[in-house]
Amino acid sequence: MEVDNKINVIVVDFNSSCITGINRFSESLKCLKNEYSDIRIHYLAFESERNMNRIICKNGSYKINFYYPNRYFISKKQKKMYMEFILYEMSKVFCGMNNIIWHMNHLALSTIVSYLRSNLGGKYILHLHCLPWKYFIKNPQKFKILYNLYVNNRFDEFKTEENSVVNYREADKIICLSRSANDYLVNIQQIEPSKIIKIYNGLYIDLNYTKEKRKELTILFVGRVTKDKGILDFLDAILDIYNNTMYRPKIVIAGFFVISKDFLEQKYKQIDIEYLGQISFEELKELYKTSTFGVIPSLHEQCSYVAIEMAAFGLPMIVSNVDALSEMFTHKKDALLNELIIENDGVVKANKKIFINNIIELIEDKELRKKLSENATKLYFENFTLCKMRDKLVETYKTLIN
């Protein structure tokens, strides 16, 4: 009997109604099974909706969906039964399969992946799509403590204060998206640098698309409409521009609304805002080509897919000088970088004065917009194509198995 030596990558993910960067990454892996005959991609997805558990096989690849219960409403006994049920179902498919790689994309699923790997074998890749401690931005007092410990190199105290439940050391390889994430893994989680590889996100984008710029001055925001994505800081800066200058830019917001649209309409009723919600990529392409410039005012961010898309389409942009964004872009070369400040109470926000100056500079300086546009597109081809990401990923898979 012929031995199947294909690499079986099991991509472990959450299904969500809100399209995230992780979803975009998982979707991009579909190209591997078409371009690499020695790699087979399977999908294991968990979802919060109480749908039927499903196992579907197509051309040798499995797509498996399980309900994921809220951890706050499940006892230890129920959790044990749940894990055993997942293992039982997965064993039907993967028991005895060769060359398994568990590619885990959500830290919340790390316990499940560790359990499955220990019972079914294989290698384990932890893909760090975020800096988890940055989510404490929602808790300013806690964030201030962590931030001060980190910048003062008090890493042991930081680790105790953060109290992460993720066991990073169980992974055979950790993929991160930036230097800041690499430093967190080395300094806080004490991971050997040889176990870490930095792979930027990458996209294939068909740029054979022509569309005239809108005649009206238009500034584009794309992404989840949340405080930590910087939407309130951005609109506060625009409101100041409306009140104190002659400029009246139209603002277009495309993304999943976490902050309610009603709240934004009431607070920023003076501003000309077009609220689009979550739209298709075809619709986004038109916005990228027709808007005057874009903004990515995130309070924390890794290798943003929106930033990659804007760069590919040559949309001039203002981005926060934070995490991966500060690594991806160079001020006044391929983007304008906006500083963040941490107030005494631990609240993180954009430097409003610099933000306003950056916006006005891009409004007034057509040559600067042209320069940023050309350089951003070059940057996309140099660093953020799907081919570059795919090649590094495949090399990582093959190195782990061989």
Side-chain angles (χ1 to χ4, degrees):
M1 182 176 176
E2 188 176 344
V3 177
D4 182 1
N5 287 319
K6 286 190 176 185
I7 297 174
N8 289 286
V9 179
I10 305 171
V11 181
V12 187
D13 207 346
F14 270 123
N15 279 344
S16 170
S17 57
C18 173
I19 299 172
T20 66
I22 298 176
N23 299 140
R24 301 287 303 279
F25 169 79
S26 296
E27 187 70 17
S28 70
L29 295 185
K30 288 181 179 178
C31 69
L32 296 182
K33 61 185 179 184
N34 297 325
E35 300 186 26
Y36 291 87
S37 59
D38 55 346
I39 294 178
R40 191 183 286 122
I41 301 292
H42 311 277
Y43 288 94
L44 170 59
F46 293 84
E47 48 195 49
S48 57
E49 298 295 324
R50 283 186 173 274
N51 296 321
M52 290 288 292
N53 299 318
R54 299 184 301 275
I55 299 178
I56 300 170
C57 182
K58 185 177 180 181
N59 299 325
S61 292
Y62 287 90
K63 186 174 182 180
I64 303 168
N65 291 78
F66 290 118
Y67 166 66
Y68 186 80
N70 188 317
R71 67 182 184 276
Y72 296 113
F73 298 100
I74 185 171
S75 67
K76 287 185 178 180
K77 182 179 179 181
Q78 289 171 322
K79 183 177 180 180
K80 182 175 182 293
M81 292 172 62
Y82 175 76
M83 299 282 271
E84 289 172 349
F85 166 74
I86 298 295
L87 175 60
Y88 173 75
E89 293 295 319
M90 294 290 287
S91 297
K92 296 177 184 177
V93 176
F94 295 108
C95 186
M97 189 176 282
N98 296 324
N99 301 330
I100 291 176
I101 295 177
W102 303 90
H103 191 145
M104 195 274 295
N105 286 308
H106 276 274
L107 295 180
L109 298 173
S110 60
T111 302
I112 292 175
V113 172
S114 295
Y115 180 72
L116 291 173
R117 195 272 289 267
S118 66
N119 285 277
L120 297 175
K123 300 292 185 177
Y124 169 22
I125 292 177
L126 188 156
H127 204 135
L128 190 62
H129 291 273
C130 65
L131 269 176
W133 73 274
K134 289 294 185 84
Y135 287 101
F136 284 111
I137 279 178
K138 298 172 185 176
N139 180 350
Q141 289 183 325
K142 176 87 168 181
F143 182 80
K144 183 180 180 182
I145 292 169
L146 288 169
Y147 177 81
N148 286 331
L149 290 173
Y150 196 86
V151 298
N152 288 298
N153 297 333
R154 293 161 63 182
F155 299 134
D156 289 341
E157 293 171 76
F158 179 102
K159 186 171 185 178
T160 301
E161 183 69 32
E162 184 192 20
N163 194 28
S164 173
V165 297
V166 179
N167 188 343
Y168 291 86
R169 295 189 182 190
E170 287 186 338
D172 296 295
K173 206 76 173 177
I174 301 179
I175 297 173
C176 67
L177 308 181
S178 69
R179 283 194 299 269
S180 56
N182 183 93
D183 292 345
Y184 167 81
L185 291 167
V186 172
N187 294 329
I188 306 302
Q189 300 302 332
Q190 299 171 330
I191 304 298
E192 287 294 324
S194 60
K195 286 183 68 173
I196 305 168
I197 180 168
K198 183 178 74 174
I199 303 178
Y200 286 138
N201 288 331
L203 287 171
Y204 169 75
I205 298 177
D206 181 4
L207 297 177
N208 294 320
Y209 183 83
T210 57
K211 193 81 175 179
E212 292 296 320
K213 291 282 185 186
R214 297 186 187 199
K215 291 182 180 178
E216 61 184 333
L217 174 63
T218 306
I219 305 175
L220 177 63
F221 174 96
V222 176
R224 282 183 299 114
V225 183
T226 62
K227 186 176 180 181
D228 64 336
K229 289 295 183 180
I231 186 66
L232 299 182
D233 292 342
F234 168 52
L235 293 178
D236 284 344
I238 293 296
L239 188 58
D240 198 291
I241 289 171
Y242 264 64
N243 289 335
N244 298 298
T245 75
M246 63 180 182
Y247 299 116
R248 299 291 183 272
K250 181 183 183 68
I251 308 303
V252 178
I253 300 176
F256 184 86
F257 284 91
V258 178
I259 297 175
S260 77
K261 179 183 167 186
D262 290 342
F263 169 81
L264 296 176
E265 285 178 327
Q266 182 61 34
K267 183 174 182 181
Y268 301 105
K269 55 189 173 185
Q270 293 170 254
I271 304 175
D272 180 9
I273 304 178
E274 183 178 356
Y275 298 94
L276 297 179
Q278 220 166 230
I279 60 177
S280 70
F281 185 61
E282 288 303 309
E283 294 171 291
L284 269 179
K285 282 164 62 174
E286 181 164 337
L287 291 175
Y288 289 142
K289 293 297 289 185
T290 59
S291 299
T292 310
F293 60 91
V295 292
I296 303 176
S298 306
L299 304 183
H300 62 96
E301 193 71 71
Q302 287 300 297
C303 190
S304 163
Y305 276 103
V306 172
I308 294 171
E309 289 167 355
M310 288 185 177
F313 282 97
L315 184 65
M317 66 186 106
I318 300 170
V319 306
S320 295
N321 188 12
V322 67
D323 301 335
L325 292 175
S326 61
E327 183 178 330
M328 294 166 70
F329 298 101
T330 303
H331 185 55
K332 290 207 170 182
K333 179 182 178 183
D334 37 47
L336 295 187
L337 270 61
N338 196 62
E339 300 300 323
L340 300 180
I341 58 174
I342 302 177
E343 299 186 324
N344 292 333
D345 59 1
V347 172
V348 180
K349 62 197 315 184
N351 184 312
K352 189 175 181 181
K353 182 179 179 181
I354 294 176
F355 205 172
I356 290 169
N357 289 342
N358 281 338
I359 293 169
I360 292 174
E361 185 173 12
L362 272 193
I363 289 173
E364 295 179 339
D365 195 336
K366 188 174 181 179
E367 286 303 309
L368 177 60
R369 295 202 305 267
K370 184 173 182 290
K371 171 187 170 184
L372 297 182
S373 172
E374 292 172 352
N375 288 337
T377 302
K378 289 178 186 176
L379 188 71
Y380 162 72
F381 284 109
E382 288 171 1
N383 295 329
F384 304 113
T385 63
L386 181 60
C387 288
K388 290 185 182 297
M389 182 191 80
R390 178 196 63 198
D391 290 348
K392 287 185 178 181
L393 203 52
V394 169
E395 182 183 351
T396 302
Y397 291 154
K398 292 185 175 181
T399 299
L400 266 184
I401 292 299
N402 297 328

